[in-house]
């Protein structure tokens, strides 16, 4: 069974005067960060109530084109 989970993150520059990235760069950075975090969690074993009987594995992390903001 596949379950989709929507994760929303806030992406801002650390110093707006130093870096003016594009929307695409911010989206790519967010996708990369979430992908790495989920892969790390997968490698460590996800903590959840059914951990003894249910295995959860990453399928994909992608940009969601729905309503943003």
């Amino acid at each position: 069974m596949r379950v989709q989970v929507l994760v929303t993150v806030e992406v801002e520059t650390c110093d707006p005067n130093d870096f003016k990235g594009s929307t695409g760069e911010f989206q790519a950075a967010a996708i990369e960060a979430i992908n790495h975090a989920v892969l790390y969690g997968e490698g460590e074993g996800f903590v959840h109530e059914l951990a003894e009987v249910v295995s959860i594995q990453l399928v994909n992390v992608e940009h969601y084109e729905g309503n943003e903001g």
Side-chain angles (χ1 to χ4, degrees):
M1 166 193 342
R2 287 205 177 168
V3 175
Q4 288 186 304
V5 177
L6 176 63
V7 176
T8 303
V9 296
E10 187 73 33
V11 181
E12 298 178 5
T13 59
C14 295
D15 180 356
N17 297 320
D18 187 38
F19 180 72
K20 305 234 188 290
S22 70
T23 299
E25 289 174 308
F26 286 178
Q27 290 169 345
I31 291 166
E32 182 179 13
I34 299 302
N35 189 60
H36 284 291
V38 176
L39 284 173
Y40 176 80
E42 184 179 53
E44 295 297 306
F46 292 117
V47 177
H48 58 88
E49 189 173 313
L50 298 177
E52 296 296 321
V53 295
V54 174
S55 174
I56 298 176
Q57 299 172 332
L58 177 65
V59 174
N60 188 32
V61 176
E62 63 186 67
H63 177 247
Y64 174 66
E65 295 289 340
N67 296 333
E68 294 184 15

CSV table of all heavy atoms in Angstrom, one decimal:
chain,number,residue,atom,x,y,z
A,1,MET,N,0.8,-1.2,0.0
A,1,MET,CA,0.0,0.0,0.0
A,1,MET,C,0.9,1.2,0.0
A,1,MET,O,1.9,1.3,0.7
A,1,MET,CB,-0.9,0.0,1.3
A,1,MET,CG,-1.5,1.3,1.5
A,1,MET,SD,-2.3,1.6,3.1
A,1,MET,CE,-2.5,0.1,3.8
A,2,ARG,N,0.5,2.2,-0.8
A,2,ARG,CA,1.2,3.5,-0.8
A,2,ARG,C,0.4,4.6,-0.1
A,2,ARG,O,-0.8,4.6,-0.3
A,2,ARG,CB,1.5,4.0,-2.2
A,2,ARG,CG,2.6,3.2,-2.8
A,2,ARG,CD,3.3,3.9,-3.9
A,2,ARG,NE,4.4,3.1,-4.4
A,2,ARG,CZ,5.1,3.3,-5.5
A,2,ARG,NH1,4.8,4.4,-6.2
A,2,ARG,NH2,6.1,2.6,-5.8
A,3,VAL,N,1.1,5.4,0.7
A,3,VAL,CA,0.4,6.5,1.5
A,3,VAL,C,1.2,7.7,1.1
A,3,VAL,O,2.4,7.8,1.2
A,3,VAL,CB,0.4,6.2,3.0
A,3,VAL,CG1,-0.1,7.4,3.7
A,3,VAL,CG2,-0.3,4.9,3.3
A,4,GLN,N,0.5,8.8,0.6
A,4,GLN,CA,1.1,10.0,0.4
A,4,GLN,C,1.0,10.9,1.6
A,4,GLN,O,-0.1,11.0,2.2
A,4,GLN,CB,0.5,10.7,-0.9
A,4,GLN,CG,0.9,10.0,-2.1
A,4,GLN,CD,0.4,10.8,-3.4
A,4,GLN,OE1,-0.8,11.0,-3.5
A,4,GLN,NE2,1.3,11.1,-4.2
A,5,VAL,N,2.1,11.6,1.9
A,5,VAL,CA,2.1,12.5,3.0
A,5,VAL,C,2.6,13.9,2.5
A,5,VAL,O,3.7,13.9,1.9
A,5,VAL,CB,3.1,12.0,4.1
A,5,VAL,CG1,3.2,13.0,5.3
A,5,VAL,CG2,2.6,10.6,4.6
A,6,LEU,N,1.9,14.9,2.8
A,6,LEU,CA,2.3,16.3,2.4
A,6,LEU,C,3.1,16.9,3.5
A,6,LEU,O,2.6,17.0,4.7
A,6,LEU,CB,1.1,17.1,2.1
A,6,LEU,CG,1.3,18.6,1.7
A,6,LEU,CD1,2.1,18.7,0.4
A,6,LEU,CD2,0.0,19.3,1.6
A,7,VAL,N,4.3,17.3,3.2
A,7,VAL,CA,5.2,18.0,4.2
A,7,VAL,C,5.4,19.4,3.7
A,7,VAL,O,5.7,19.6,2.5
A,7,VAL,CB,6.5,17.3,4.3
A,7,VAL,CG1,7.5,18.1,5.2
A,7,VAL,CG2,6.4,15.9,4.8
A,8,THR,N,5.1,20.4,4.5
A,8,THR,CA,5.3,21.8,4.1
A,8,THR,C,6.4,22.4,4.9
A,8,THR,O,6.5,22.3,6.1
A,8,THR,CB,4.0,22.6,4.4
A,8,THR,OG1,2.9,22.0,3.7
A,8,THR,CG2,4.1,24.1,4.0
A,9,VAL,N,7.4,23.1,4.2
A,9,VAL,CA,8.5,23.7,4.8
A,9,VAL,C,8.6,25.1,4.5
A,9,VAL,O,8.1,25.5,3.4
A,9,VAL,CB,9.8,22.9,4.5
A,9,VAL,CG1,9.8,21.5,5.0
A,9,VAL,CG2,10.1,23.0,3.0
A,10,GLU,N,9.1,25.9,5.4
A,10,GLU,CA,9.4,27.3,5.1
A,10,GLU,C,10.9,27.4,4.7
A,10,GLU,O,11.8,26.9,5.3
A,10,GLU,CB,9.2,28.1,6.4
A,10,GLU,CG,9.3,29.6,6.2
A,10,GLU,CD,8.0,30.2,5.5
A,10,GLU,OE1,6.9,29.7,5.6
A,10,GLU,OE2,8.2,31.2,4.7
A,11,VAL,N,11.1,28.1,3.5
A,11,VAL,CA,12.5,28.2,3.0
A,11,VAL,C,12.8,29.7,2.9
A,11,VAL,O,12.1,30.4,2.2
A,11,VAL,CB,12.6,27.5,1.6
A,11,VAL,CG1,14.0,27.6,1.1
A,11,VAL,CG2,12.2,26.1,1.7
A,12,GLU,N,13.8,30.2,3.6
A,12,GLU,CA,14.2,31.6,3.6
A,12,GLU,C,15.7,31.7,3.5
A,12,GLU,O,16.4,30.8,4.0
A,12,GLU,CB,13.7,32.3,4.8
A,12,GLU,CG,12.2,32.3,5.0
A,12,GLU,CD,11.8,33.0,6.2
A,12,GLU,OE1,12.6,33.5,7.0
A,12,GLU,OE2,10.6,33.0,6.5
A,13,THR,N,16.2,32.7,3.0
A,13,THR,CA,17.7,32.9,3.0
A,13,THR,C,18.1,33.3,4.4
A,13,THR,O,17.4,34.0,5.2
A,13,THR,CB,18.1,34.1,2.0
A,13,THR,OG1,17.4,35.3,2.4
A,13,THR,CG2,17.8,33.7,0.6
A,14,CYS,N,19.3,32.9,4.8
A,14,CYS,CA,19.8,33.3,6.1
A,14,CYS,C,20.1,34.8,6.2
A,14,CYS,O,19.9,35.4,7.2
A,14,CYS,CB,21.1,32.5,6.4
A,14,CYS,SG,20.8,30.7,6.5
A,15,ASP,N,20.6,35.3,5.1
A,15,ASP,CA,20.9,36.8,5.0
A,15,ASP,C,20.4,37.2,3.6
A,15,ASP,O,21.0,37.0,2.6
A,15,ASP,CB,22.4,37.0,5.1
A,15,ASP,CG,22.7,38.5,5.0
A,15,ASP,OD1,21.8,39.3,4.8
A,15,ASP,OD2,23.9,38.9,5.2
A,16,PRO,N,19.2,37.8,3.6
A,16,PRO,CA,18.6,38.3,2.3
A,16,PRO,C,19.5,39.2,1.5
A,16,PRO,O,19.3,39.3,0.3
A,16,PRO,CB,17.3,38.9,2.7
A,16,PRO,CG,17.1,38.8,4.1
A,16,PRO,CD,18.4,38.2,4.7
A,17,ASN,N,20.4,39.9,2.1
A,17,ASN,CA,21.3,40.8,1.4
A,17,ASN,C,22.5,40.1,0.8
A,17,ASN,O,23.2,40.6,0.0
A,17,ASN,CB,21.8,41.9,2.4
A,17,ASN,CG,20.7,42.7,2.9
A,17,ASN,OD1,19.8,43.1,2.2
A,17,ASN,ND2,20.7,43.0,4.2
A,18,ASP,N,22.7,38.8,1.2
A,18,ASP,CA,23.8,38.1,0.8
A,18,ASP,C,23.5,37.1,-0.4
A,18,ASP,O,24.3,36.9,-1.3
A,18,ASP,CB,24.4,37.3,1.9
A,18,ASP,CG,25.7,36.6,1.6
A,18,ASP,OD1,26.5,37.2,0.8
A,18,ASP,OD2,25.9,35.5,2.0
A,19,PHE,N,22.3,36.6,-0.4
A,19,PHE,CA,21.9,35.6,-1.4
A,19,PHE,C,20.5,35.8,-1.9
A,19,PHE,O,19.5,35.8,-1.0
A,19,PHE,CB,22.0,34.2,-0.8
A,19,PHE,CG,21.7,33.1,-1.8
A,19,PHE,CD1,22.5,32.8,-2.9
A,19,PHE,CD2,20.5,32.4,-1.6
A,19,PHE,CE1,22.1,31.8,-3.8
A,19,PHE,CE2,20.1,31.4,-2.5
A,19,PHE,CZ,21.0,31.1,-3.6
A,20,LYS,N,20.3,35.9,-3.1
A,20,LYS,CA,18.9,36.1,-3.7
A,20,LYS,C,18.7,35.0,-4.6
A,20,LYS,O,18.8,35.1,-5.8
A,20,LYS,CB,18.9,37.5,-4.4
A,20,LYS,CG,19.3,38.7,-3.6
A,20,LYS,CD,18.2,39.7,-3.6
A,20,LYS,CE,18.6,41.0,-3.0
A,20,LYS,NZ,18.8,41.0,-1.6
A,21,GLY,N,18.4,33.8,-4.1
A,21,GLY,CA,18.2,32.6,-4.9
A,21,GLY,C,16.8,32.7,-5.6
A,21,GLY,O,15.9,33.4,-5.2
A,22,SER,N,16.7,31.9,-6.6
A,22,SER,CA,15.5,31.8,-7.4
A,22,SER,C,14.5,30.8,-6.7
A,22,SER,O,14.9,30.0,-5.9
A,22,SER,CB,15.8,31.3,-8.8
A,22,SER,OG,16.2,29.9,-8.8
A,23,THR,N,13.3,30.9,-7.1
A,23,THR,CA,12.3,29.9,-6.6
A,23,THR,C,12.7,28.5,-6.8
A,23,THR,O,12.6,27.6,-6.0
A,23,THR,CB,10.9,30.2,-7.2
A,23,THR,OG1,10.5,31.6,-6.8
A,23,THR,CG2,9.8,29.3,-6.7
A,24,GLY,N,13.2,28.3,-8.0
A,24,GLY,CA,13.6,26.9,-8.4
A,24,GLY,C,14.7,26.4,-7.5
A,24,GLY,O,14.7,25.2,-7.2
A,25,GLU,N,15.7,27.3,-7.2
A,25,GLU,CA,16.8,26.9,-6.3
A,25,GLU,C,16.3,26.6,-4.9
A,25,GLU,O,16.7,25.6,-4.3
A,25,GLU,CB,17.8,28.0,-6.3
A,25,GLU,CG,18.6,28.2,-7.5
A,25,GLU,CD,19.5,29.4,-7.5
A,25,GLU,OE1,19.0,30.5,-7.2
A,25,GLU,OE2,20.7,29.2,-7.8
A,26,PHE,N,15.3,27.4,-4.4
A,26,PHE,CA,14.8,27.1,-3.1
A,26,PHE,C,14.0,25.8,-3.1
A,26,PHE,O,14.1,25.0,-2.2
A,26,PHE,CB,13.8,28.2,-2.7
A,26,PHE,CG,14.6,29.5,-2.3
A,26,PHE,CD1,13.8,30.6,-1.9
A,26,PHE,CD2,15.9,29.6,-2.3
A,26,PHE,CE1,14.5,31.8,-1.6
A,26,PHE,CE2,16.6,30.8,-1.9
A,26,PHE,CZ,15.8,31.9,-1.5
A,27,GLN,N,13.2,25.5,-4.2
A,27,GLN,CA,12.5,24.3,-4.2
A,27,GLN,C,13.4,23.1,-4.3
A,27,GLN,O,13.2,22.1,-3.6
A,27,GLN,CB,11.6,24.3,-5.5
A,27,GLN,CG,10.4,25.3,-5.4
A,27,GLN,CD,9.7,25.5,-6.7
A,27,GLN,OE1,10.2,25.1,-7.8
A,27,GLN,NE2,8.5,26.1,-6.6
A,28,ALA,N,14.5,23.2,-5.1
A,28,ALA,CA,15.4,22.1,-5.2
A,28,ALA,C,16.1,21.8,-3.9
A,28,ALA,O,16.3,20.7,-3.5
A,28,ALA,CB,16.4,22.4,-6.3
A,29,ALA,N,16.5,22.9,-3.1
A,29,ALA,CA,17.1,22.8,-1.9
A,29,ALA,C,16.2,22.1,-0.8
A,29,ALA,O,16.6,21.2,-0.1
A,29,ALA,CB,17.6,24.1,-1.3
A,30,ALA,N,14.9,22.5,-0.9
A,30,ALA,CA,14.0,21.9,0.1
A,30,ALA,C,13.8,20.4,-0.2
A,30,ALA,O,13.7,19.6,0.7
A,30,ALA,CB,12.6,22.6,0.0
A,31,ILE,N,13.6,20.1,-1.5
A,31,ILE,CA,13.5,18.7,-1.9
A,31,ILE,C,14.7,17.8,-1.5
A,31,ILE,O,14.5,16.8,-0.9
A,31,ILE,CB,13.2,18.5,-3.4
A,31,ILE,CG1,11.9,19.1,-3.8
A,31,ILE,CG2,13.4,17.1,-3.9
A,31,ILE,CD1,11.7,19.3,-5.2
A,32,GLU,N,15.9,18.4,-1.7
A,32,GLU,CA,17.1,17.7,-1.3
A,32,GLU,C,17.2,17.5,0.2
A,32,GLU,O,17.5,16.4,0.7
A,32,GLU,CB,18.3,18.5,-1.8
A,32,GLU,CG,19.6,17.8,-1.5
A,32,GLU,CD,20.8,18.6,-2.0
A,32,GLU,OE1,20.7,19.8,-2.3
A,32,GLU,OE2,21.9,18.0,-2.0
A,33,ALA,N,16.8,18.5,1.0
A,33,ALA,CA,16.9,18.4,2.4
A,33,ALA,C,15.9,17.4,3.0
A,33,ALA,O,16.2,16.6,3.8
A,33,ALA,CB,16.6,19.8,3.1
A,34,ILE,N,14.7,17.4,2.5
A,34,ILE,CA,13.6,16.4,2.9
A,34,ILE,C,14.0,15.0,2.5
A,34,ILE,O,13.9,14.1,3.3
A,34,ILE,CB,12.2,16.8,2.4
A,34,ILE,CG1,11.8,18.2,3.0
A,34,ILE,CG2,11.2,15.8,2.8
A,34,ILE,CD1,11.8,18.3,4.5
A,35,ASN,N,14.5,14.9,1.3
A,35,ASN,CA,14.9,13.6,0.8
A,35,ASN,C,16.0,13.0,1.7
A,35,ASN,O,15.9,11.8,2.1
A,35,ASN,CB,15.4,13.7,-0.6
A,35,ASN,CG,15.7,12.3,-1.3
A,35,ASN,OD1,14.7,11.5,-1.3
A,35,ASN,ND2,16.9,12.1,-1.7
A,36,HIS,N,17.0,13.8,2.0
A,36,HIS,CA,18.1,13.3,2.9
A,36,HIS,C,17.6,13.0,4.3
A,36,HIS,O,18.0,12.0,4.9
A,36,HIS,CB,19.2,14.4,3.0
A,36,HIS,CG,20.1,14.4,1.8
A,36,HIS,ND1,21.0,13.4,1.4
A,36,HIS,CD2,20.2,15.3,0.8
A,36,HIS,CE1,21.6,13.7,0.3
A,36,HIS,NE2,21.1,14.9,-0.1
A,37,ALA,N,16.7,13.8,4.8
A,37,ALA,CA,16.2,13.6,6.2
A,37,ALA,C,15.4,12.2,6.2
A,37,ALA,O,15.5,11.4,7.1
A,37,ALA,CB,15.3,14.7,6.6
A,38,VAL,N,14.6,12.0,5.2
A,38,VAL,CA,13.8,10.8,5.1
A,38,VAL,C,14.6,9.6,4.9
A,38,VAL,O,14.5,8.5,5.5
A,38,VAL,CB,12.6,10.9,4.1
A,38,VAL,CG1,11.9,9.6,4.0
A,38,VAL,CG2,11.7,12.0,4.5
A,39,LEU,N,15.6,9.7,4.0
A,39,LEU,CA,16.6,8.6,3.8
A,39,LEU,C,17.3,8.2,5.1
A,39,LEU,O,17.5,7.1,5.4
A,39,LEU,CB,17.5,8.9,2.7
A,39,LEU,CG,17.0,8.8,1.3
A,39,LEU,CD1,18.0,9.3,0.2
A,39,LEU,CD2,16.5,7.4,0.9
A,40,TYR,N,17.7,9.3,5.8
A,40,TYR,CA,18.4,9.0,7.1
A,40,TYR,C,17.5,8.3,8.1
A,40,TYR,O,17.8,7.3,8.7
A,40,TYR,CB,18.9,10.4,7.7
A,40,TYR,CG,19.5,10.2,9.1
A,40,TYR,CD1,20.8,9.7,9.2
A,40,TYR,CD2,18.7,10.4,10.2
A,40,TYR,CE1,21.4,9.5,10.5
A,40,TYR,CE2,19.3,10.2,11.5
A,40,TYR,CZ,20.6,9.7,11.6
A,40,TYR,OH,21.1,9.5,12.9
A,41,GLY,N,16.2,8.8,8.2
A,41,GLY,CA,15.3,8.1,9.0
A,41,GLY,C,15.0,6.7,8.6
A,41,GLY,O,14.9,5.8,9.5
A,42,GLU,N,14.9,6.5,7.3
A,42,GLU,CA,14.7,5.1,6.8
A,42,GLU,C,15.9,4.2,7.2
A,42,GLU,O,15.7,3.1,7.7
A,42,GLU,CB,14.6,5.2,5.3
A,42,GLU,CG,14.3,3.8,4.7
A,42,GLU,CD,14.1,4.0,3.1
A,42,GLU,OE1,15.0,4.5,2.5
A,42,GLU,OE2,13.1,3.5,2.6
A,43,GLY,N,17.1,4.7,7.1
A,43,GLY,CA,18.3,3.9,7.5
A,43,GLY,C,18.3,3.6,9.0
A,43,GLY,O,18.8,2.6,9.4
A,44,GLU,N,17.8,4.5,9.8
A,44,GLU,CA,17.8,4.3,11.2
A,44,GLU,C,16.6,3.5,11.7
A,44,GLU,O,16.6,3.0,12.8
A,44,GLU,CB,17.8,5.7,12.0
A,44,GLU,CG,19.1,6.5,11.7
A,44,GLU,CD,20.3,5.9,12.3
A,44,GLU,OE1,20.3,5.5,13.5
A,44,GLU,OE2,21.3,5.7,11.5
A,45,GLY,N,15.6,3.5,10.9
A,45,GLY,CA,14.4,2.8,11.2
A,45,GLY,C,13.4,3.8,11.8
A,45,GLY,O,13.6,4.4,12.8
A,46,PHE,N,12.3,4.0,11.1
A,46,PHE,CA,11.3,5.0,11.5
A,46,PHE,C,10.7,4.6,12.8
A,46,PHE,O,10.4,3.4,13.0
A,46,PHE,CB,10.2,5.1,10.4
A,46,PHE,CG,10.7,5.7,9.1
A,46,PHE,CD1,10.7,5.0,7.9
A,46,PHE,CD2,11.2,7.0,9.1
A,46,PHE,CE1,11.1,5.6,6.7
A,46,PHE,CE2,11.6,7.6,7.9
A,46,PHE,CZ,11.6,6.9,6.7
A,47,VAL,N,10.5,5.5,13.6
A,47,VAL,CA,9.8,5.3,14.9
A,47,VAL,C,8.3,5.5,14.7
A,47,VAL,O,7.9,6.6,14.3
A,47,VAL,CB,10.4,6.3,16.0
A,47,VAL,CG1,9.6,6.1,17.3
A,47,VAL,CG2,11.9,6.1,16.2
A,48,HIS,N,7.6,4.5,15.0
A,48,HIS,CA,6.1,4.6,14.9
A,48,HIS,C,5.5,3.5,15.7
A,48,HIS,O,6.1,2.5,16.0
A,48,HIS,CB,5.6,4.6,13.4
A,48,HIS,CG,6.0,3.5,12.6
A,48,HIS,ND1,5.3,2.3,12.6
A,48,HIS,CD2,7.1,3.3,11.9
A,48,HIS,CE1,5.9,1.4,11.8
A,48,HIS,NE2,7.0,2.0,11.3
A,49,GLU,N,4.2,3.6,16.0
A,49,GLU,CA,3.5,2.7,16.8
A,49,GLU,C,3.5,1.2,16.3
A,49,GLU,O,3.5,0.3,17.1
A,49,GLU,CB,2.0,3.1,17.0
A,49,GLU,CG,1.2,2.4,18.0
A,49,GLU,CD,-0.1,3.0,18.2
A,49,GLU,OE1,-0.2,4.2,18.4
A,49,GLU,OE2,-1.1,2.2,18.2
A,50,LEU,N,3.5,1.0,15.0
A,50,LEU,CA,3.5,-0.3,14.4
A,50,LEU,C,4.9,-0.8,13.9
A,50,LEU,O,5.0,-1.7,13.1
A,50,LEU,CB,2.5,-0.3,13.2
A,50,LEU,CG,1.0,0.0,13.6
A,50,LEU,CD1,0.2,0.0,12.4
A,50,LEU,CD2,0.5,-1.0,14.6
A,51,ALA,N,5.9,-0.2,14.5
A,51,ALA,CA,7.3,-0.6,14.0
A,51,ALA,C,7.6,-2.0,14.1
A,51,ALA,O,8.4,-2.5,13.3
A,51,ALA,CB,8.3,0.2,14.8
A,52,GLU,N,7.0,-2.8,15.0
A,52,GLU,CA,7.3,-4.2,15.1
A,52,GLU,C,6.6,-5.0,13.9
A,52,GLU,O,7.1,-6.2,13.7
A,52,GLU,CB,6.9,-4.8,16.4
A,52,GLU,CG,7.6,-4.2,17.6
A,52,GLU,CD,9.1,-4.5,17.6
A,52,GLU,OE1,9.4,-5.6,17.2
A,52,GLU,OE2,9.9,-3.6,17.9
A,53,VAL,N,5.6,-4.5,13.3
A,53,VAL,CA,4.9,-5.2,12.3
A,53,VAL,C,4.8,-4.6,10.9
A,53,VAL,O,4.3,-5.2,10.0
A,53,VAL,CB,3.5,-5.6,12.8
A,53,VAL,CG1,3.6,-6.6,14.0
A,53,VAL,CG2,2.7,-4.4,13.2
A,54,VAL,N,5.2,-3.3,10.8
A,54,VAL,CA,5.0,-2.5,9.6
A,54,VAL,C,6.3,-1.9,9.2
A,54,VAL,O,7.0,-1.2,10.0
A,54,VAL,CB,3.9,-1.4,9.7
A,54,VAL,CG1,3.9,-0.6,8.5
A,54,VAL,CG2,2.6,-2.0,10.0
A,55,SER,N,6.8,-2.1,8.0
A,55,SER,CA,8.0,-1.5,7.4
A,55,SER,C,7.6,-0.3,6.6
A,55,SER,O,6.7,-0.4,5.7
A,55,SER,CB,8.8,-2.5,6.6
A,55,SER,OG,9.8,-1.9,6.0
A,56,ILE,N,8.2,0.9,6.8
A,56,ILE,CA,7.9,2.0,5.9
A,56,ILE,C,9.2,2.4,5.1
A,56,ILE,O,10.3,2.5,5.7
A,56,ILE,CB,7.5,3.2,6.8
A,56,ILE,CG1,6.2,2.9,7.5
A,56,ILE,CG2,7.4,4.5,5.9
A,56,ILE,CD1,5.8,4.0,8.5
A,57,GLN,N,9.1,2.5,3.8
A,57,GLN,CA,10.2,2.8,2.9
A,57,GLN,C,9.9,4.0,2.1
A,57,GLN,O,8.8,4.1,1.6
A,57,GLN,CB,10.5,1.6,2.1
A,57,GLN,CG,10.9,0.3,2.9
A,57,GLN,CD,11.0,-0.9,2.1
A,57,GLN,OE1,10.4,-1.0,1.0
A,57,GLN,NE2,11.8,-1.8,2.5
A,58,LEU,N,10.9,4.8,1.8
A,58,LEU,CA,10.8,5.9,0.9
A,58,LEU,C,10.6,5.5,-0.5
A,58,LEU,O,11.3,4.7,-1.0
A,58,LEU,CB,12.0,6.8,1.0
A,58,LEU,CG,12.1,8.0,0.1
A,58,LEU,CD1,11.0,9.0,0.5
A,58,LEU,CD2,13.5,8.7,0.2
A,59,VAL,N,9.6,6.2,-1.2
A,59,VAL,CA,9.4,5.9,-2.6
A,59,VAL,C,9.9,7.1,-3.4
A,59,VAL,O,10.6,7.0,-4.4
A,59,VAL,CB,7.9,5.7,-2.9
A,59,VAL,CG1,7.6,5.6,-4.4
A,59,VAL,CG2,7.4,4.4,-2.2
A,60,ASN,N,9.5,8.3,-3.0
A,60,ASN,CA,9.8,9.5,-3.8
A,60,ASN,C,9.6,10.8,-2.9
A,60,ASN,O,8.7,10.9,-2.1
A,60,ASN,CB,8.9,9.6,-5.0
A,60,ASN,CG,9.4,10.6,-6.0
A,60,ASN,OD1,10.5,10.9,-6.1
A,60,ASN,ND2,8.4,11.2,-6.7
A,61,VAL,N,10.4,11.8,-3.2
A,61,VAL,CA,10.2,13.1,-2.6
A,61,VAL,C,10.3,14.1,-3.8
A,61,VAL,O,11.2,14.1,-4.6
A,61,VAL,CB,11.4,13.5,-1.6
A,61,VAL,CG1,11.2,15.0,-1.2
A,61,VAL,CG2,11.4,12.6,-0.5
A,62,GLU,N,9.2,14.9,-4.0
A,62,GLU,CA,9.1,15.8,-5.2
A,62,GLU,C,8.4,17.1,-4.8
A,62,GLU,O,7.7,17.1,-3.8
A,62,GLU,CB,8.4,15.1,-6.3
A,62,GLU,CG,6.9,14.7,-6.0
A,62,GLU,CD,6.3,13.9,-7.1
A,62,GLU,OE1,6.7,12.7,-7.3
A,62,GLU,OE2,5.3,14.4,-7.7
A,63,HIS,N,8.5,18.0,-5.6
A,63,HIS,CA,7.9,19.3,-5.4
A,63,HIS,C,6.4,19.2,-5.7
A,63,HIS,O,6.0,18.6,-6.7
A,63,HIS,CB,8.5,20.4,-6.4
A,63,HIS,CG,7.8,21.7,-6.2
A,63,HIS,ND1,7.1,22.2,-7.3
A,63,HIS,CD2,7.7,22.6,-5.2
A,63,HIS,CE1,6.6,23.4,-6.9
A,63,HIS,NE2,6.9,23.6,-5.6
A,64,TYR,N,5.6,19.7,-4.8
A,64,TYR,CA,4.1,19.7,-4.9
A,64,TYR,C,3.7,20.9,-5.6
A,64,TYR,O,4.0,22.0,-5.2
A,64,TYR,CB,3.5,19.5,-3.6
A,64,TYR,CG,2.0,19.6,-3.5
A,64,TYR,CD1,1.2,18.7,-4.2
A,64,TYR,CD2,1.4,20.7,-2.9
A,64,TYR,CE1,-0.2,18.7,-4.1
A,64,TYR,CE2,0.0,20.8,-2.9
A,64,TYR,CZ,-0.8,19.8,-3.5
A,64,TYR,OH,-2.2,19.9,-3.4
A,65,GLU,N,3.0,20.8,-6.7
A,65,GLU,CA,2.6,22.0,-7.5
A,65,GLU,C,1.2,22.6,-7.1
A,65,GLU,O,0.7,23.4,-7.8
A,65,GLU,CB,2.5,21.6,-9.0
A,65,GLU,CG,3.8,21.2,-9.6
A,65,GLU,CD,4.7,22.3,-9.8
A,65,GLU,OE1,4.3,23.5,-9.9
A,65,GLU,OE2,5.9,22.1,-10.0
A,66,GLY,N,0.7,22.2,-5.9
A,66,GLY,CA,-0.6,22.7,-5.5
A,66,GLY,C,-0.5,24.1,-4.9
A,66,GLY,O,0.5,24.8,-5.2
A,67,ASN,N,-1.4,24.4,-4.1
A,67,ASN,CA,-1.4,25.7,-3.5
A,67,ASN,C,-0.3,25.9,-2.5
A,67,ASN,O,-0.1,25.1,-1.6
A,67,ASN,CB,-2.7,26.0,-2.7
A,67,ASN,CG,-3.9,25.9,-3.6
A,67,ASN,OD1,-3.8,26.3,-4.8
A,67,ASN,ND2,-5.1,25.5,-3.1
A,68,GLU,N,0.5,26.9,-2.8
A,68,GLU,CA,1.7,27.2,-1.9
A,68,GLU,C,1.4,28.4,-1.1
A,68,GLU,O,0.7,29.3,-1.5
A,68,GLU,CB,2.9,27.4,-2.7
A,68,GLU,CG,3.4,26.2,-3.5
A,68,GLU,CD,4.7,26.4,-4.2
A,68,GLU,OE1,5.4,27.4,-4.0
A,68,GLU,OE2,5.0,25.5,-5.0
A,69,GLY,N,2.0,28.5,0.1
A,69,GLY,CA,1.8,29.6,0.9
A,69,GLY,C,0.8,29.4,1.9
A,69,GLY,O,0.3,29.7,2.8
